Amino acid sequence: MALAADSVVTKTIDLSSDETQILELPVVAYPPFKLRSSLIDKDPVIWVHLLEEYIYLFKFLVVLTTSKKYRNVKLSPKSTQQLHYFMKVYLFETSEETSRIFSLGAINPDIVKYTKMLKVIVFQFIRCYNLVNLRLSGESVWHFIKIYSRLAHINKNGNQSVVTLNLVRDLVQGQVKSKLNSKSDDISMIKPLHTHLNALIGGGKFHKQDLETLAITLGSRYQSGASSGSNVNASSSKRSFSETFVNKDWTDILENLYNGGTGLHAQICFHIAVVSLTSLSASSIGRLVQNQLKHRTKSQLVGMNPLVARVLLSQQLKEVIPGLEDELKFLDSKPKVEAKKNSVNPEHIRMLQEFFPQLSDGKAKTLLLDTNHNPEIATHKLLEDPSLVDSLKEWEAPKSRSIYDPKTFDPTKITFGKKAKPRVEKASQEFNERTLTSALRLLYDSDEDEPDDTYEDQEETTPSALSLNIKTSKAVSLDDDDDEDKPENIDKIEKILFLRFKRSPDDLQRSARKTRQRQELKSETNWTDEQIEGWARMLVKTPRLFKLLESRYMVFNNQGLKPSTAYRKPRAVEVSDSEEPSTRSSSNASQRSNTPNRARKEQHKASVGNHNRKRGNDRKLAKEL
């Protein structure tokens, strides 16, 4: 595959040219676990040869990336895409090898040897190429950490110096310049790593091995549930990485999953918090709490970050991290907001009085408070305007005043006994009653069944009828001087609106505001668009109101209406001047023809019903005897 890569490049590409040369180099995807197991079971030698080819390929890629000989040679887009995919699969498969069991063929010495060599050469290539340039996600970065942090931890006392923990941290943090001199060299991968770990913990897939990997990478004092001060790595790279990783975003993720100790993954979050915080120095923890979490007291820390407080305020952590108690002393002090607000540094007062001896202590304090405790600004003000000294007032501490202070006390505002209630005008009372009546009508009348015709004559005297402005012996009026609110005028307007609604309902809708019919209707009723549309909505939502208005305003049949067939007590029906006498007489005649029958039924109603019930009761008593 890659044994003759160098010769192929030399033959196919003109290295003497200054123009950019595109190289088409196939990069075969790394086999998944099942395929590797099958290859090892059938013939381990085949897998050994494949490992050799991968090693040669990445050696050439390292040379291609670093050598000036190939400075004008670039991989084709297809080859670059294959390389990115290989890296993603390789990191995933290799990070999972420790949790999988191969066949006995995997202990072949050549397989073990070439597997380690491939890990190292891939790491060298990543160092030259950069994690960001390989387009690795947060998940792949975590797989990279799992492989090479553990490899560096195992070989820390050996002769292997290619893979180190500091180099792994610097690559993740974006502090290693690639040979490509890309603009993305200084991009940190910690934020996507946080995002992936958040999903990993929330999905219940963060296990003991992951916790150990995190402890190794951060250089934590806590490993496998026990503290060991001897494993502390105090290098600058370790401190930089742990301080960058364990920030407010990371603590917020853990606090959200911890959920005050009631979260599904609260226990693992506690262990992760211990690992994270024990990787920091005492001063770093103090800066985290004070500058990033913005806490000033223990109550704030416990209230906003209960998980962090549980770890930091424990006695065991104070023993593990020397000097932590001193760094967190500011949490024990109570803030003196009011004293700080009005306090002035005596040195600042003395400084002003040296330049301006005529300043008294009270005037100097007033000026410093006005300039936000800045003596330089105060000095400039006095230099620009020396007369300002005379206009300054002596500072006086604010004093608490009694309610009987003569400066604020007003004896005329004292009320003995119960406070007199304001008298409500008659018009306001009537308006409230009218509004209440309308509300009750809309609440109860809309869903009622049709009443018995026997009591139909009482409808015109009910509160509902009064609220609908139908004429009765007494009409409610808010203002007798306003002709528009008089019952007869409202009846006339309702009649106009009702007839128009029966003839053309769309004229009363919002969509008809700009039409000629709406303008005519507004001029006839002297109502606004909102009043007309509101009246129409009330009519549609209240079927009982529609029936009452229909029975009241009888109109011609050629207008699309039929006279009501329900019985009504004979009364004078209002008819406009445009109605003909024939229609009026026929309507009255119909009502008069029904009157005797209804009266006769009403008169003999008791005798018929009660007589039958009495006869049945007599028969029942006779049977019992």
Side-chain angles (χ1 to χ4, degrees):
M1 183 192 305
L3 290 172
D6 187 68
S7 61
V8 170
V9 173
T10 306
K11 292 179 181 179
T12 58
I13 293 178
D14 185 9
L15 299 178
S16 61
S17 176
D18 293 334
E19 297 180 358
T20 302
Q21 304 289 314
I22 303 300
L23 175 63
E24 189 75 31
L25 185 65
V27 182
V28 180
Y30 193 73
F33 171 74
K34 290 184 178 180
L35 180 56
R36 297 200 311 274
S37 296
S38 300
L39 289 174
I40 294 172
D41 287 342
K42 290 182 179 180
D43 190 354
V45 177
I46 297 177
W47 180 235
V48 170
H49 285 305
L50 288 175
L51 287 174
E52 287 180 338
E53 292 296 317
Y54 279 124
I55 292 170
Y56 286 129
L57 171 65
F58 276 93
K59 282 184 177 179
F60 173 74
L61 289 175
V62 170
V63 174
L64 185 67
T65 307
T66 58
S67 176
K68 294 181 179 180
K69 176 182 177 180
Y70 301 111
R71 63 183 181 278
N72 295 328
V73 179
K74 305 293 182 185
L75 289 177
S76 66
K78 182 178 180 181
S79 298
T80 304
Q81 185 178 8
Q82 291 175 349
L83 177 62
H84 293 170
Y85 182 72
F86 170 88
M87 196 61 63
K88 177 182 176 182
V89 176
Y90 174 77
L91 292 176
F92 170 73
E93 293 291 337
T94 308
S95 67
E96 296 294 322
E97 281 185 357
T98 55
S99 60
R100 294 171 176 173
I101 300 176
F102 285 96
S103 61
L104 292 176
I107 63 175
N108 184 296
D110 290 334
I111 292 179
V112 174
K113 173 184 174 182
Y114 287 126
T115 299
K116 290 182 179 180
M117 289 179 61
L118 182 60
K119 285 182 183 180
V120 174
I121 194 63
V122 167
F123 181 83
Q124 288 179 326
F125 172 74
I126 293 175
R127 179 182 179 181
C128 297
Y129 209 80
N130 193 295
L131 290 172
V132 178
N133 293 332
L134 286 171
R135 308 292 173 84
L136 297 181
S137 63
E139 180 181 8
S140 297
V141 172
W142 180 241
H143 295 153
F144 168 79
I145 292 174
K146 288 175 69 175
I147 297 169
Y148 294 107
S149 289
R150 299 184 70 85
L151 182 61
H153 183 68
I154 293 172
N155 297 328
K156 63 182 178 180
N157 296 324
N159 297 323
Q160 181 61 265
S161 59
V162 176
V163 182
T164 63
L165 272 175
N166 290 340
L167 192 53
V168 172
R169 293 164 183 155
D170 290 343
L171 283 169
V172 176
Q173 201 173 354
Q175 294 183 350
V176 177
K177 288 291 182 180
S178 69
K179 301 300 181 180
L180 302 177
N181 292 323
S182 172
K183 293 182 179 179
S184 61
D185 289 345
D186 57 348
I187 295 179
S188 173
M189 299 298 294
I190 288 180
K191 188 173 182 63
L193 183 59
H194 282 170
T195 304
H196 172 67
L197 292 178
N198 182 21
L200 200 65
I201 300 168
K205 299 178 181 179
F206 194 91
H207 304 300
K208 182 180 179 180
Q209 184 182 3
D210 297 298
L211 185 65
E212 292 175 352
T213 301
L214 183 64
I216 292 171
T217 308
L218 293 176
S220 173
R221 298 168 173 84
Y222 173 90
Q223 292 183 17
S224 302
S227 61
S228 58
S230 59
N231 291 330
V232 179
N233 186 354
S235 67
S236 59
S237 176
K238 178 261 172 185
R239 289 196 303 269
S240 173
F241 182 80
S242 59
E243 289 179 5
T244 307
F245 186 90
V246 185
N247 55 12
K248 185 179 184 301
D249 294 337
W250 180 239
T251 57
D252 287 346
I253 290 172
L254 296 180
E255 291 288 357
N256 185 42
L257 294 170
Y258 184 69
N259 194 24
T262 62
L264 183 62
H265 310 290
Q267 190 61 29
I268 189 65
C269 286
F270 171 72
H271 290 298
I272 295 173
V274 172
V275 166
S276 301
L277 293 173
T278 53
S279 68
L280 301 175
S281 62
S283 58
S284 299
I285 293 176
R287 288 192 295 270
L288 172 67
V289 175
Q290 191 169 16
N291 300 334
Q292 295 190 39
L293 302 183
K294 305 291 185 182
H295 296 319
R296 297 292 181 269
T297 62
K298 284 185 179 179
S299 59
Q300 291 178 351
L301 179 63
V302 173
M304 300 298 295
N305 295 88
L307 176 59
V308 175
R310 178 184 174 186
V311 178
L312 293 184
L313 301 180
S314 64
Q315 186 62 36
Q316 292 84 349
L317 193 69
K318 295 177 183 178
E319 297 173 357
V320 171
I321 304 178
L324 178 61
E325 192 170 4
D326 294 335
E327 290 291 338
L328 298 179
K329 273 186 177 180
F330 66 90
L331 295 175
D332 298 326
S333 60
K334 296 182 179 179
K336 300 179 181 180
V337 179
E338 198 62 35
K340 185 179 179 180
K341 181 179 178 181
N342 295 324
S343 63
V344 176
N345 191 341
E347 289 295 325
H348 294 169
I349 296 177
R350 185 183 58 79
M351 187 186 306
L352 287 177
Q353 289 177 342
E354 286 180 358
F355 289 99
F356 306 96
Q358 66 272 33
L359 271 178
S360 64
D361 291 348
K363 288 186 177 183
K365 189 171 184 179
T366 301
L367 183 59
L368 287 171
L369 290 175
D370 292 341
T371 56
N372 196 20
H373 304 268
N374 193 322
E376 295 181 0
I377 297 177
T379 304
H380 285 301
K381 278 193 170 186
L382 292 175
L383 289 174
E384 292 174 358
D385 185 12
S387 62
L388 183 63
V389 177
D390 299 330
S391 61
L392 288 174
K393 296 182 179 179
E394 295 286 342
W395 186 84
E396 294 181 2
K399 299 178 180 179
S400 58
R401 293 182 175 179
S402 170
I403 60 171
Y404 299 106
D405 193 326
K407 295 182 179 180
T408 58
F409 175 63
D410 186 1
T412 60
K413 294 183 179 180
I414 295 179
T415 303
F416 295 95
K418 292 184 178 180
K419 188 175 180 180
K421 295 182 180 180
R423 300 184 64 183
V424 183
E425 296 294 334
K426 182 178 180 181
S428 299
Q429 292 178 347
E430 292 177 348
F431 177 76
N432 291 337
E433 292 175 0
R434 187 173 179 179
T435 303
L436 180 60
T437 304
S438 299
L440 291 173
R441 171 182 58 75
L442 292 175
L443 183 61
Y444 294 106
D445 288 358
S446 59
D447 296 329
E448 283 186 356
D449 296 329
E450 188 172 355
D452 194 343
D453 288 341
T454 308
Y455 307 102
E456 193 70 32
D457 59 332
Q458 297 183 11
E459 286 191 4
E460 293 299 317
T461 60
T462 61
S464 298
L466 291 174
S467 66
L468 295 174
N469 294 319
I470 299 176
K471 283 188 177 181
T472 57
S473 58
K474 292 183 180 180
V476 178
S477 176
L478 295 179
D479 191 354
D480 294 334
D481 296 332
D482 192 357
D483 295 337
E484 209 171 301
D485 289 337
K486 288 183 178 180
E488 55 269 18
N489 292 333
I490 295 178
D491 285 346
K492 182 178 179 181
I493 293 173
E494 281 189 336
K495 182 176 181 180
I496 294 171
L497 294 174
F498 182 74
L499 297 180
R500 179 63 66 92
F501 181 86
K502 292 292 294 184
R503 184 168 66 251
S504 179
D506 293 339
D507 292 348
L508 279 72
Q509 301 302 317
R510 183 181 179 85
S511 58
R513 284 192 174 187
K514 302 296 184 180
T515 61
R516 178 177 55 82
Q517 291 82 355
R518 173 59 68 84
Q519 302 305 322
E520 293 176 356
L521 197 59
K522 289 171 64 177
S523 61
E524 291 177 9
T525 60
N526 199 22
W527 276 19
T528 63
D529 289 323
E530 289 77 8
Q531 287 176 298
I532 294 173
E533 293 161 9
W535 183 90
R537 285 195 296 270
M538 183 180 69
L539 187 64
V540 171
K541 293 181 180 179
T542 315
R544 183 177 178 84
L545 170 61
F546 184 91
K547 292 179 182 180
L548 290 174
L549 293 180
E550 186 178 26
S551 64
R552 179 166 179 76
Y553 303 121
M554 303 295 295
V555 296
F556 296 112
N557 290 338
N558 58 11
Q559 290 180 332
L561 294 179
K562 294 182 179 180
S564 176
T565 58
Y567 169 72
R568 300 286 181 183
K569 184 176 180 180
R571 57 175 178 161
V573 179
E574 287 191 1
V575 181
S576 62
D577 297 338
S578 62
E579 293 179 343
E580 297 183 2
S582 60
T583 305
R584 186 164 57 247
S585 61
S586 63
S587 177
N588 292 335
S590 174
Q591 292 185 4
R592 286 195 299 272
S593 63
N594 291 331
T595 301
N597 294 332
R598 294 287 186 183
R600 184 169 59 256
K601 288 181 180 180
E602 181 66 22
Q603 182 178 3
H604 298 288
K605 179 178 180 180
S607 63
V608 174
N610 293 337
H611 182 69
N612 291 337
R613 286 195 292 272
K614 186 176 180 181
R615 181 181 300 170
N617 189 37
D618 292 341
R619 286 199 299 268
K620 182 178 179 182
L621 290 174
K623 288 180 181 180
E624 292 177 355
L625 294 173

